[in-house]
Every structure is written in structure tokens, then in C-alpha cells.
């Protein structure tokens, strides 16, 4: 089994199409097909179902895809290490971040990083907090950025910024004209929340319990997979939600949302890295730029309501 075979397999699996994968890798279709066939023949395992003119991953193929990605990530890390010895003149840095951080906080630092190290390729993917922690744990990415703490002894967490959660509703919601509400009233409204596993939801539910309200008592009407979907649903009149002040800011300024007088705690944004894997020079440079060494630790937009 070669790294080239793994790269071809991953490209085919991600696109579910041999020809498109071959074009992406600048290979002949026959070469891509031969690489997949060689893997299947050598190990006696079918990785794809041939369905008409298309292909689909088998169960074995799906399991192998996870491992193949991890191997390629480690190979990329090894290659990057050699390049970084030469002074960060080439290489790649793999990063995964939660949605709020990836959309509203991290980009400005990535721009600064690119200007400082233009030949280092930054590969950013997005996931919820649980997914990011798992990717760092498994070595799929070198650095992760999430909201709040992660309970994994193999991950080193470093606070890098602060963020404020706010409760918001649409203009027609009964709470929109209220200066404040009592914690017990939180169960009176329907809620639109991110999916379980997201940092925003975890922090909000923990805060609700500290206010004396059981998380199970919240009337969760919708669970949506992105901040933008949550915001849009509440703008359309669907209950209340708790989101980052930075996510809510444009809608608050436009009058599409109203902030409710519920004091939620600030939360940390943290950088994650694996405790047993050395931090590469490329990763260390990004952390230094962000300010974990005592520089800028500015957070997101802070809510004016205290």
C-alpha cells in the first residue's frame, strides 16, 4: 500500500467519481481505477459498489476512508516538518475550527499568518466542538479551535479569546419588549438551538442549569446545524435562541432580532493540540501570532448589555 494509492482512494471516495478524482489529481482515469483496484485485490475487500455509471462507498470503504485520511494527514505533517526546518518556506498547516470561530474570529488571524508565511498552505475545515476535538485527538488536524473546555486528557487546551453569548428573539416574540426576564421564564418559550455537540449549545445549557433551570425543561423546537440557520429561524419568528454576540450583531443592528435581558456568562475560545505530538513550527507560529504567548487575545464582538 502506497501513499499515492491512499491519495487516489480518498479523492475517489470524496467525489464518488473516478474521472473527477483523476482530473483533480492530474492523472489518467485508468491510473486512478488501477490504484483502487490494486487496493481491493491486494486485501480482498471491495471498497466501492459500482451502481450504473456511478460508484458508492461500501461499509468497508467508509471505515477505510477514515483511516486513510488520518495516514495522509500524518504524512503531510511529516513533510511539513522537513519544510519547516528550512524556515517555514513551504509546507502545510491543518486546522479545524468550530463554526463561530471559523466564520467570525479566526479569518483575520489566518490573513495575518498568510502575509507572514505566504508559502505555508493553510487547510481549514469546520466542525462542531466534539468533531474538532476528535480530529485533533486522531491526528487528522494539528490544531483545533473551539468554544469552552474539552474533556480529553490527551489534548492541551489554551485559552486564546473571550466571547459573549446572548439570548435573542424576533420582534414579535413576547420577550422582545421586556427589559429582562426571570430564569424560570426560560421554559415558557420554544427554543431554536444548535445540534448536540456544538460548543454554543453546551455552554448555554450549562449556564441555564447554573440559573436553576434543568436543560431537559427547555422546549427545544428546532435543532439546526449552523449559526446562520439558527439566526434565520429566530428572525422568522421561531422562538428564542442563544448565540454569540458577534453572530447576532448584524441582525440586532438591522432590527431583525431583539436581545433579551438574560445575563449569560462569557466563554473562552481555546486552541487544542495533542499533548503527545510535538507542536510543529508552523502551528507554533500561528499560536504565537494569535497571542497565546502574551500578545493579542481580543475576543469577538461584546454585547453592550451587561
Amino acid at each position: 500500500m502506497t501513499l499515492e494509492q491512499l491519495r487516489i482512494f480518498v479523492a475517489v471516495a470524496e467525489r464518488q467519481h473516478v474521472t473527477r478524482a483523476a482530473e483533480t489529481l492530474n492523472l489518467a482515469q485508468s491510473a486512478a481505477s488501477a490504484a483502487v483496484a490494486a487496493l481491493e485485490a491486494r486485501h480482498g475487500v471491495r471498497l466501492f459498489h459500482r451502481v450504473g455509471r456511478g460508484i458508492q462507498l461500501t461499509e468497508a470503504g467508509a471505515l477505510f476512508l477514515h483511516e486513510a485520511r488520518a495516514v495522509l494527514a500524518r504524512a503531510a505533517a511529516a513533510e511539513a516538518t522537513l519544510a519547516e526546518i528550512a524556515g517555514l518556506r513551504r509546507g502545510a498547516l491543518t486546522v479545524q475550527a468550530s463554526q463561530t470561530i471559523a466564520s467570525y474570529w479566526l479569518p483575520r488571524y489566518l490573513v495575518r499568518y498568510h502575509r507572514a508565511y505566504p508559502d505555508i498552505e493553510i487547510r481549514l475545515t469546520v466542525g462542531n466542538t466534539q468533531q474538532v476535538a476528535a480530529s485533533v485527538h486522531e491526528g487528522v488536524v494539528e490544531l483545533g479551535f473551539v468554544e469552552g473546555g474539552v474533556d480529553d486528557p490527551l489534548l492541551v487546551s489554551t485559552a486564546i479569546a473571550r466571547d459573549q453569548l446572548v439570548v435573542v428573539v424576533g420582534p414579535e416574540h413576547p420577550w422582545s419588549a421586556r427589559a429582562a426576564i426571570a430564569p424560570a421564564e426560560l421554559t415558557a418559550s420554544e427554543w431554536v438551538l444548535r445540534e448536540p455537540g456544538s460548543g454554543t449549545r453546551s455552554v448555554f445549557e450549562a449556564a441555564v442549569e447554573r440559573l436553576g433551570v434543568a436543560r431537559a425543561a427547555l422546549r427545544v423546537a428546532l435543532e439546526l446545524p449552523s449559526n446562520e440557520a439558527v439566526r434565520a429561524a429566530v428572525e422568522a419568528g421561531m422562538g428564542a435562541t442563544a448565540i454569540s454576540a458577534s453572530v447576532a450583531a448584524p441582525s440586532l443592528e438591522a432590527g431583525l432580532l431583539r436581545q433579551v435581558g438574560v445575563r449569560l456568562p462569557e466563554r473562552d475560545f481555546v486552541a487544542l493540540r495533542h499533548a503527545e505530538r510535538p507542536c510543529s513550527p508552523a502551528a507554533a507560529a500561528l499560536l504565537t501570532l494569535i497571542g497565546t504567548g502574551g500578545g493579542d487575545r481580543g475576543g469577538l464582538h461584546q454585547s453592550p448589555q451587561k
Side-chain angles (χ1 to χ4, degrees), residues 75-216:
E79 180 182 7
T81 298
L82 295 177
E84 289 157 356
I85 292 174
L88 292 174
R89 288 195 291 269
R90 62 184 178 91
L93 175 62
T94 54
V95 178
Q96 190 170 69
S98 63
Q99 287 190 17
T100 301
I101 294 175
S103 299
Y104 296 92
W105 184 83
L106 188 58
R108 66 179 181 268
Y109 292 107
L110 297 184
V111 169
R112 294 179 195 174
Y113 186 88
H114 176 70
R115 288 172 178 166
Y117 309 105
D119 296 319
I120 300 297
E121 178 186 0
I122 302 171
R123 300 169 184 166
L124 173 66
T125 55
V126 180
N128 65 33
T129 293
Q130 287 184 352
Q131 292 166 341
V132 173
S135 292
V136 178
H137 182 111
E138 295 165 7
V140 176
V141 299
E142 184 171 3
L143 291 179
F145 296 93
V146 299
E147 304 102 347
V150 172
D151 185 17
D152 186 334
L154 289 179
L155 298 183
V156 176
S157 300
T158 305
I160 52 175
R162 301 284 284 170
D163 178 44
Q164 178 69 56
L165 279 185
V166 295
V167 173
V168 294
V169 297
E172 304 302 319
H173 193 282
W175 292 348
S176 65
R178 300 271 302 276
I181 64 170
E185 295 181 86
L186 293 173
T187 60
S189 175
E190 292 182 325
W191 288 84
V192 181
L193 298 176
R194 286 284 307 280
E195 77 285 0
S198 78
T200 296
R201 175 144 180 190
S202 298
V203 171
F204 172 62
E205 289 180 336
V208 164
E209 291 194 330
R210 284 194 293 271
L211 292 172
V213 179
R215 67 181 67 189

Side-chain angles (χ1 to χ4, degrees), residues 270-291:
V270 301
L272 300 177
R273 62 180 181 83
H274 202 285
E276 297 181 353
R277 298 188 183 106
C279 189
S280 72
L286 178 59
L287 293 175
T288 299
L289 184 150
I290 286 172

